[in-house]
């Protein structure tokens, strides 16, 4: 979140679920907390740092390539703005605009919680 907007990232053509939208993040490594993983992944993928706030939800989704356990947190950017490195596109959207995107299925429950909770 930044100025009450939500950062949305579009997967590139070479990723699984090409061109679908997701909340930025990544995999939790062995002996790493969810929060530490989120900070590390955002730093690696978007070259910025953030302050992790409250957890919004945890969900699981079974794709044909495996089960995804998704942990979504409300975060605020620190100083550096995100830069596009791996994704095709990033957008800052108002909460009421989130449902206009084609979200990866695993992210849809979190989108609904954010939209309904605001």
């Amino acid at each position: 979140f930044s100025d009450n907007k939500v950062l949305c990232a579009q997967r590139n053509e070479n990723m699984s679920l090409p061109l679908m939208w997701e909340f930025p993040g990544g995999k939790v490594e062995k002996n790493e907390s969810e929060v530490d993983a989120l900070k590390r992944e955002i730093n690696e993928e978007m070259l910025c740092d953030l302050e992790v706030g409250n957890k919004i939800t945890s969900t699981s989704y079974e794709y044909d390539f495996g089960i995804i356990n998704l942990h979504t947190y409300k975060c605020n950017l620190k100083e550096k703005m995100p830069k596009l490195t791996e994704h095709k596109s990033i957008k800052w959207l108002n909460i009421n605009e989130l449902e206009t995107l084609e979200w990866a299925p695993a992210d849809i429950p979190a989108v609904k919680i954010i939209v309904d909770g605001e």
Side-chain angles (χ1 to χ4, degrees), residues 14-85:
N14 301 317
M15 295 174 156
S16 59
L17 307 171
L19 304 180
M20 296 191 100
W21 290 84
E22 66 183 357
F23 295 117
K27 292 183 178 81
V28 178
E29 303 288 340
K30 186 176 179 180
N31 299 321
E32 185 177 48
S33 72
E34 293 171 9
V35 170
D36 288 340
L38 181 55
K39 289 179 180 179
R40 177 185 52 75
E41 288 282 351
I42 294 299
N43 186 273
E44 290 173 2
E45 290 181 9
M46 301 203 157
L47 308 177
C48 63
D49 53 352
L50 46 82
E51 176 184 300
V52 179
N54 294 331
K55 182 184 264 190
I56 295 171
T57 189
S58 288
T59 57
S60 292
Y61 188 86
E62 187 171 355
Y63 289 105
D64 56 0
F65 54 81
I67 296 173
I68 299 293
N69 296 307
L70 190 64
H71 308 285
T72 307
Y73 287 82
K74 181 173 182 178
C75 300
N76 291 304
L77 287 175
K78 287 188 176 179
E79 296 176 17
K80 295 186 245 173
M81 292 302 286
K83 291 189 173 51
L84 199 58
T85 63

Side-chain angles (χ1 to χ4, degrees), residues 87-106:
H87 289 86
K88 180 175 178 66
S89 177
I90 54 176
K91 287 184 183 183
W92 289 99
L93 293 180
N94 289 314
I95 289 169
N96 63 358
E97 297 173 303
L98 292 179
E99 293 181 307
T100 65
L101 300 178
E102 185 181 359
W103 288 91

